[in-house]
Amino acid sequence: MKVRAIGLQDFRNVAGARLEFEGRLQFLVGANGQGKTNLLEAVGFITALRSFRSNDQSSLVRHGEREGAIACDIEHETEGASNLRVNFKPGTKEAWLDGTKVTRLAEVIGRFPTVVFSSQDQQLVRGSPGDRRRWLDLTLSATDREYLKALQAYHRALADRNALLKRSGSDAELEAFERVMADQGMVLIERRREALAELAIGLTERYAMIADHAETAGFAYAPQVAAPDGAALLAKFAGGRARDRILKSTGSGPHRDDFDFLLHEKPAKEFASEGQQRALVLSLRLAQAAWFRSRSKIEPVLLADDVLGELDPSRRERFWSAIPADSQVIATGTVPPDAALGEWQVFQVANGLFAPATPPPPVASR
Amino acid sequence: MTPSLENLQHALKKLPGLGYRSAERVALHLLLEKPESLPALVEALQSAAAAVRRCDRCGHLAEDDLCAICQDEKREPSVVCVVENVPDVVALERSGAYRGSYHVLHGKLSPLQGIGPDQLNLSSFKTRLEAGAIDEVILALSNDVEGEATCHFLTSEIIPMGGQIKVTRIGFGLPSGGGVLYADSVTLKSALEGRRGYA
């Protein structure tokens, strides 16, 4: 898939903008705080109709405005030329696909895949379990409708169980919802296990390319129950009731799952150096993009938010060689990109305004 | 607007499907355009309110102790189809495919909305089951989290264990006359899981 044009209206610090993209490499250059990441955020939004930066929708609309919008022209492997528009309204959002309002937003989720490379990505390795879970849930939901459905049902049943805990519901009522949680939870655990095993293969391959080290990379996923066994998960919920009644919330279950990144069989959180962790998350994003492609046959658009500047020149070159030759890349940075990386279409970003850089694109060496 | 008209409009606005404007329209219609129809409407409301009640056995709407379905001798009383609400009975009856009896729960377990077993029509269901005249229970509750949880609750707490009573869940899958092409993946999966022997 390729993004051919994007329009923003009252989105973050952008009052109004429309950018037409030609070719497969776009670069947004400008000082910090000018709106580069906001544009990437808008492109990334079309994948899951969620922001990769924030869960708070009201912060997406420009300060002082009530409504905002994103509109994308997309060239798509299976849908052909498409137009997706997202309108942000107070407390809600709506999507329009080719001029028709989308009644069930879940139908759009995952159809327009993008993968974001962000300087915050190292949080995935060393941050909280919630960060990793959010990434895994988003990645899986985007390619797997059944996973999304199971995730929504699981969380609904979890909210019901927590409501029961708060008003001291009977064991029989708790069990009724625990059974739903166990059914849906097993789907979550199995799909997570499967996906992490597949992603680990891609991760190792790409880590070898970027770090120039033949080290095995992977994940240690320790779900709540070792074997894929609904009865064991059900017993776990039942066993936690006494504690959960006191805490008035459900202390264990797939909603508390976590995994570790492994490098050379050891937890990367503790044993990997800063540079190794950085190479690891870049590899993760590339592996994620490849996984998307193999599952959905759609080439994701890669959004690189200020990650190039952090790499030394030899790693940067290896990173570029690991990117599939026909992927669209939209990147940001404070200095113009290396000419050696290809023909970039460059936009200057200042104070929420985007201007095509006057040709020929400025070439600077660092 | 007079105070009485406003009062009427407020009362009408509380009805499902009526907003501020339509309540105003109905009120004006009743009072100005068709005042002659008013006594008949009042009479109908009053007599319905006095006559319509819940069936003692199944919870469906009735005017006697038992509803028309429970009174019908041609229906099979040993098969009970459990549904959430009265409109579900109406829909199943319209299909004409079912000749057994019903049990209306008047809701489903929903802790988030404060609905527990005490709010459901369970005691008369227990009485029916304990009387021993039931061979099969068909669970026709909705296919969502609360519907599933209610089915679990019924099978573990209300319907006696031991295999005397056959318990079935209504099928979920492709709509009749619908092809495979336009079904979403989750519906297709449940249709495949619920497939049955053929020929």
Side-chain angles (χ1 to χ4, degrees), chain A residues 104 146 149-150 152-154 156-157 160 177 179-180 183-184, chain B residues 82-85 88 105 107-109 139-152 168-175 184-194:
Chain A
R104 290 180 53 217
E146 252 180 70
K149 185 120 185 186
Q152 287 168 337
Y154 179 86
R156 173 82 192 192
D160 275 322
F177 286 93
R179 289 214 210 172
V180 179
D183 285 348
Q184 306 296 340
Chain B
V82 182
V83 298
E84 279 165 34
N85 290 304
D88 300 332
L105 296 180
K108 55 187 171 185
L109 292 181
L139 299 171
L141 304 173
S142 55
N143 181 16
D144 56 14
V145 167
E146 283 84 11
E148 288 295 330
T150 307
C151 289
H152 287 312
T168 54
R169 183 92 170 89
I170 198 170
F172 299 100
L174 295 180
D184 67 279
S185 55
V186 176
T187 303
L188 275 175
K189 182 171 181 256
S190 75
L192 276 171
E193 281 171 353

Side-chain angles (χ1 to χ4, degrees), chain A residues 14 30 35 37 43 47 55 66 74 90 144-145 153 155 165 185 187 193 204 220 231 246 252 286 291 323 343:
Chain A
V14 184
T37 305
V43 179
T47 299
N55 276 329
R66 293 184 74 238
I74 297 153
D144 185 344
R145 194 68 57 85
H155 278 278
L165 292 169
V187 176
R193 198 197 304 273
T204 299
I246 296 167
S252 64
L286 288 170
W291 187 73
I323 288 179
E343 279 285 312

